[in-house]
Amino acid sequence: GEDVEQSLFLSVREGDSSVINCTYTDSSSTYLYWYKQEPGAGLQLLTYIFSNMDMKQDQRLTVLLNKKDKHLSLRIADTQTGDSAIYFCAEKRPPGGGNKLTFGTGTQLKVEL
Amino acid sequence: DAGVTQSPTHLIKTRGQQVTLRCSPKSGHDTVSWYQQALGQGPQFIFQYYEEEERQRGNFPDRFSGHQFPNYSSELNVNALLLGDSALYLCASSSKWRAGDSYEQYFGPGTRLTVT
């Protein structure tokens, strides 16, 4: 399909792990990104993964990439209330595609006490 | 190290008017991209500027135009505003265009445009 797809909503308890999923569109996309957006704010770059990698870990964040299924996931360990936000995945399509990022519609993560 | 800055923060305009939004990229960055984020949606790519030229454009009408200055800052202009232009306008900066594949894009806080 043409759209980057994400589930709309995820609710977890504080201290649990969160897993946010994304299906992207182009199997030859070079970079895949996760951004965080808090209410009324811009986008914060959390992490990104190059397409020749399967996994990337950065402190509490783990990104898994399945190129065959065009599936990307973000795992947040020990989720805190400050992690409540909207999370966007984005893809950067093949080389020569400039800097254009194609975003999903976002997953709203709610962390409950 | 200053991040990406945008001005103004909020703006209210009337249908048919024109608006100019401004962006200063992160220090060391030379490429600016603009995105439109409608309420409840992900950002949509408008265009990208490098070396004072538009290098890539998304699916937006000619009413949307831009400019990049020698200091790498950029403006987004929207003419003949429509109600549907109400959105958060985000600027993103990056570098290494010459390498063909810059990979880190940092976003500013955005300008919230309301068209009445």
Side-chain angles (χ1 to χ4, degrees), chain B:
Chain B
D1 178 19
V4 181
T5 60
Q6 292 186 243
S7 63
T9 306
H10 295 90
L11 204 52
I12 300 174
K13 290 286 189 179
T14 304
R15 275 180 301 176
Q17 285 188 317
Q18 178 264 345
V19 69
T20 297
L21 311 181
R22 296 175 176 82
C23 170
S24 291
K26 183 178 166 64
S27 177
H29 285 182
D30 55 12
T31 302
V32 173
S33 302
W34 287 92
Y35 291 79
Q36 179 195 66
Q37 186 180 20
L39 197 62
Q41 300 296 317
Q44 298 288 318
F45 177 80
I46 303 174
F47 44 51
Q48 171 193 322
Y49 276 82
Y50 172 73
E51 288 188 332
E52 302 179 46
E53 290 187 15
E54 183 183 297
R55 300 288 178 166
Q56 190 180 19
R57 190 177 184 95
N59 189 25
F60 279 81
D62 292 344
R63 297 187 299 109
F64 290 77
S65 63
H67 188 78
Q68 187 180 33
F69 299 94
N71 67 352
Y72 309 122
S73 67
S74 175
E75 288 181 348
L76 164 66
N77 301 294
V78 186
N79 293 324
L81 284 166
L82 304 174
L83 295 180
D85 294 331
S86 294
L88 180 67
Y89 287 85
L90 295 162
C91 169
S93 78
S94 58
S95 64
K96 300 182 184 178
W97 169 260
R98 288 188 183 276
D101 213 14
S102 61
Y103 51 90
E104 289 186 348
Q105 286 194 52
Y106 293 91
F107 283 77
T111 294
R112 173 74 62 187
L113 172 65
T114 302
V115 182
T116 62

Side-chain angles (χ1 to χ4, degrees), chain A residues 62-107:
Chain A
T62 302
V63 179
L64 295 179
L65 176 59
N66 180 331
K67 285 186 67 175
K68 174 178 173 290
D69 295 334
K70 293 183 285 187
H71 185 262
L72 181 73
S73 68
L74 174 69
R75 178 177 178 269
I76 305 173
D78 186 25
T79 312
Q80 302 298 307
T81 54
D83 295 323
S84 293
I86 300 176
Y87 290 79
F88 291 95
C89 68
E91 61 177 335
K92 184 172 181 295
R93 289 175 180 168
N99 277 1
K100 175 183 175 181
L101 296 183
T102 301
F103 285 84
T105 52
T107 298

